[in-house]
Amino acid sequence: MSPTAFRSMPALRFTPALVAFVLLLTFVAAPAAAAPNVLLICVDDLKPTLGCYGDTLAKSPNIDRLADRGLRFDKAYTNQAVCAPSRNALMTGSRCTSLGIYNLSVNFRAAVPNAVTLPQFFKQHGYRAEAVGKILHTGHGNHDDQASWSVPTQIEPVVEYLDPDSTGGELTREEAFFENKRLGSIGQLPRGAAWEVVDADDDAYADGRIAQAGVERLRAAKDRQQPLFLALGFVKPHLPFTPPKKYWDLYDPAQFAMPEFRADPAGAPRFAGKGGIEVANYAPLPANGRLNDDLTRQMMHGYYASVSYIDAQIGKVLDELDALGLRDDTLIVLWGDHGWHLGDHGYWTKHTNYEQANRIPLLVVAPGVTRPATATEQLAETVDLYPTLAALAGLPTPTGPQPIDGVDLTPVLRDPTARVRDHAYAVYERGRNRVGRNIRTDRYRLVEWKRPGADPDTAELELYDYQQDPLETENLATHRPEVVKELLEILYTHPEAKPAVESSDFPLPPAYKEFVIRYGNAELYRYNSNYYLTVFAGPREAESAEGEGLIQIGRTWTSVVYFKESRLVTGSESPVYEWYYGGLRQTANGFEEWLQAKCAAARKRFTKKQWRALEEGPPPFTERELAITEARKLFRWWIVGIAPNEDLRFEIHNGSTMVLPYVSVGIRGKLRPPKTGPLHGGGYIPTASILPGETGTIEYDCYKQFVAPEDTDVFALPEPGPEDREQYWEFKAMT
């Protein structure tokens, strides 16, 4: 009898005689109940595009049969829609706002050095904990956690190609990210292919090997007198889409319909959406993330094929579990780390607070507790899995030392109509230490954007009604104040978000740490189209021409600013170095001295009138200017080719009710030989010929004298604010 089944029996009335009898059984006659094995199946970037969730296109028979064994959560949500923070939440039971970690590069032990992770907790209670594949995030400067496992994790590549044409024989940007190589110069590396179609065996790619290793770990555990906690981390459908050809052949591309709504929500803050984050590192995808119909269909095809590839690998593991007779003694969880935008809102991948980036598949099979083929509408979060698995295994309630923010879902596993929470909580950080905390109820999502610790009156809000507007076409925050008030009261029951924690890999100087905790990313003293001084909240690894390790902390108008790794000492200030065209040289003895000197120098660049304008801030947009900003949001454009004169050819759709003479864009690329290095600038595509509701083709020179057109990325600029009037040609031409 399992510990859970024992606890579910009716309570007994303990008389002295019965107590004596129980003690006799405990110490003389009865062996301890066998602890269940745990099989935790983690799938990278998996949204509920599965047959068991009602997707009629998906071919996922093995995950579907897993759902038939237990309970399906129809309203499960990640705690942040990006890989490392979502996995921190799984492993620690702590929400991202409790840790203060919102990015890929910071290890969770930077926030709580003595945290006890989920597998570590099971280890402490007699389990053997093993991991294969991607469980914690390895890459982008982050690393696995040796303390969590009984044996070292078998790491497999997230980005892997078989076709040499996919990389051109060079290290690509995303390969470098995930292998922790060239992190200071990613932009100088080539883009890898967004997909490849190779007729190969399953184990030619990482996920086939992960499945095989999982099978071998189960076999080894069969005769071992120790319960097993086995975590298998499959890496697809993360980009690039590289399932073997037979999985591509399962789908007819013509089956994939275009997304119904491909625009930002009306009235949403301009920073809430996304552009080309992640997709910009893959060819032939446009760097602004705006894909035409052909690319959209190809990406959908690749995503679904990757899901079917993963499904087949999971099937191999389940088959072996059954063959070994471990099915009735094993707790199984299938979990997607976050959702994925498949062209909805015009977005791709994750990185937002919206539904498609946050909703995840979650299946739980607990023999003796869950009933076959059941489903629940209970709202659930990733952090709930830590206390739930501990309870199912009969272990003590976990207490940290990190915050355990999750709730035990076992009442819902027993009775899918039971309720243990009335909302799910998540977050996304969007630059300058601006945190978007959000709660999802059965009907609504409320998002509050502000700096941690700032007055609530400074927040920008979003509200979406999934009963009336499931596609999130409009932000309703200003239209339904009574709903906003009710949901804010729920949000305020949660602790304030912690400011972002920097990586513990380097002992950053106290003055710098204090500055970024207070201000986040800081951009100071705008001069024409440039900020005179920028300080990064997230320091970046780099190296000098001589190979010396550097930590980039910011830039000025004419230089890049660093600490030297060799000069960093815990608790002490460090000299500041700047790179000019003449090389690297020390310019201050510490961060505070450097900052004061740069602020004083910046002040001298401005006239009294200019300085007064800086202090007062720009005047708000006029109605005409507001109309321009709304109109430019409704322009969609794609690079569709290269003209004979090497201009780039754009297809542009005007979805607004206005004619704009220009649309401002960003331009970057790799300089033509003999020059080296990146180019980063901007341009303005003439759009006066494209009338409202129409689509046209425009050819435009994107610095072709400096950058070959095939090496040029054109990307969307952030939505302008009043301070951007001089930089966006939409305003210059119409005011």
Side-chain angles (χ1 to χ4, degrees), residues 141 163 169 186 227 250 270 330 361-362 382 393 409 416 451 457 507 576 589-590 613 652 716 722 731:
D163 185 350
I186 293 294
L250 293 175
R270 59 193 179 98
T330 303
L362 178 61
T382 292
L409 297 172
R451 294 179 185 272
D457 291 341
V576 176
N589 292 316
I652 301 175
F731 301 108

Side-chain angles (χ1 to χ4, degrees), residues 64 108 112 185 229 234 297 334 366 374 423 431 495 530 572 623 652 688 732-733:
D64 297 346
F108 68 91
V112 188
S185 55
F229 183 107
F234 294 98
R297 186 168 284 108
L334 182 140
T374 50
H423 67 279
N530 297 295
S572 299
E623 289 188 10
I652 301 175
K732 289 185 178 182

Side-chain angles (χ1 to χ4, degrees), residues 381-518:
E381 301 177 24
T382 292
V383 290
D384 297 336
L385 288 175
Y386 194 146
T388 301
L389 283 171
L392 289 172
L395 305 184
T397 301
T399 57
Q402 74 275 17
I404 302 296
D405 294 321
V407 298
D408 180 2
L409 297 172
T410 52
V412 183
L413 301 180
R414 294 193 183 97
D415 177 6
T417 65
R419 294 293 177 263
V420 296
R421 63 157 80 245
D422 63 3
H423 67 279
Y425 174 99
V427 67
Y428 200 83
E429 186 188 41
R430 189 68 85 196
R432 300 189 186 184
N433 215 18
R434 181 192 287 119
V435 171
R437 298 192 300 163
N438 83 80
I439 56 170
R440 174 65 155 92
T441 66
D442 282 325
R443 179 170 178 175
Y444 295 104
R445 170 175 279 111
L446 175 80
V447 186
E448 175 212 59
W449 293 98
K450 70 180 186 66
R451 294 179 185 272
D455 191 300
D457 291 341
T458 66
E460 295 188 58
L461 302 175
E462 295 179 81
L463 176 69
Y464 300 98
D465 181 345
Y466 294 100
Q467 183 174 303
Q468 296 184 359
D469 183 21
L471 300 181
E472 301 162 320
T473 63
E474 183 179 8
N475 174 15
L476 301 172
T478 59
H479 304 300
R480 299 191 187 173
E482 72 288 349
V483 177
V484 168
K485 181 177 183 295
E486 177 184 342
L487 296 178
L488 281 174
E489 289 177 358
I490 298 175
L491 180 65
Y492 294 157
T493 65
H494 294 277
E496 177 64 272
K498 285 191 175 181
V501 175
E502 83 283 345
S503 172
S504 63
D505 292 341
F506 305 102
L508 297 171
Y512 168 76
K513 289 170 63 176
E514 182 179 347
F515 180 88
V516 299
I517 287 173
R518 182 174 181 183

Side-chain angles (χ1 to χ4, degrees), residues 264 270 290 621 624-637 652-660 662-666 683-685 687 715-721 724 727-731 734:
D264 299 325
R270 59 193 179 98
R290 296 174 178 177
F621 276 143
R624 175 74 165 166
E625 289 170 328
L626 284 172
I628 293 171
T629 63
E630 292 303 312
R632 75 181 303 279
K633 290 181 183 178
L634 300 175
F635 274 72
R636 292 288 181 265
W637 48 269
I652 301 175
H653 175 72
N654 181 356
S656 77
T657 59
M658 297 179 67
V659 175
L660 293 185
Y662 301 97
V663 171
S664 300
V665 297
Y684 42 94
I685 303 174
T687 55
F715 59 95
L717 294 171
E719 293 303 323
D724 299 309
Q727 285 69 52
Y728 283 67
W729 277 67
E730 292 87 336
F731 301 108
M734 300 191 71

Side-chain angles (χ1 to χ4, degrees), residues 178-207:
F178 281 100
E179 295 173 20
N180 285 327
K181 297 178 179 177
R182 301 282 301 276
L183 296 179
S185 55
I186 293 294
Q188 299 175 22
L189 300 177
R191 303 194 298 165
W195 62 80
E196 67 176 20
V197 184
V198 177
D199 192 357
D201 294 334
D202 285 1
D203 60 3
Y205 291 104
D207 288 310

Side-chain angles (χ1 to χ4, degrees), residues 44-45 77-87 89 96 101-104 274 277-278 335-341 348-360 382 425-430 436 438 445:
D44 207 352
D45 283 14
Y77 292 90
T78 187
N79 289 109
Q80 185 176 339
V82 68
C83 294
S86 68
R87 291 163 185 270
C96 309
I101 296 178
Y102 310 101
N103 63 27
L104 294 170
K274 67 168 294 187
I277 300 173
E278 190 174 344
W335 168 80
D337 61 348
H338 43 66
W340 219 77
H341 288 293
W348 294 90
T349 73
K350 46 271 188 185
H351 314 112
T352 76
N353 268 322
Y354 296 130
E355 181 79 359
Q356 294 304 312
N358 281 266
R359 183 170 173 241
I360 61 174
T382 292
Y425 174 99
V427 67
Y428 200 83
E429 186 188 41
R430 189 68 85 196
N438 83 80
R445 170 175 279 111

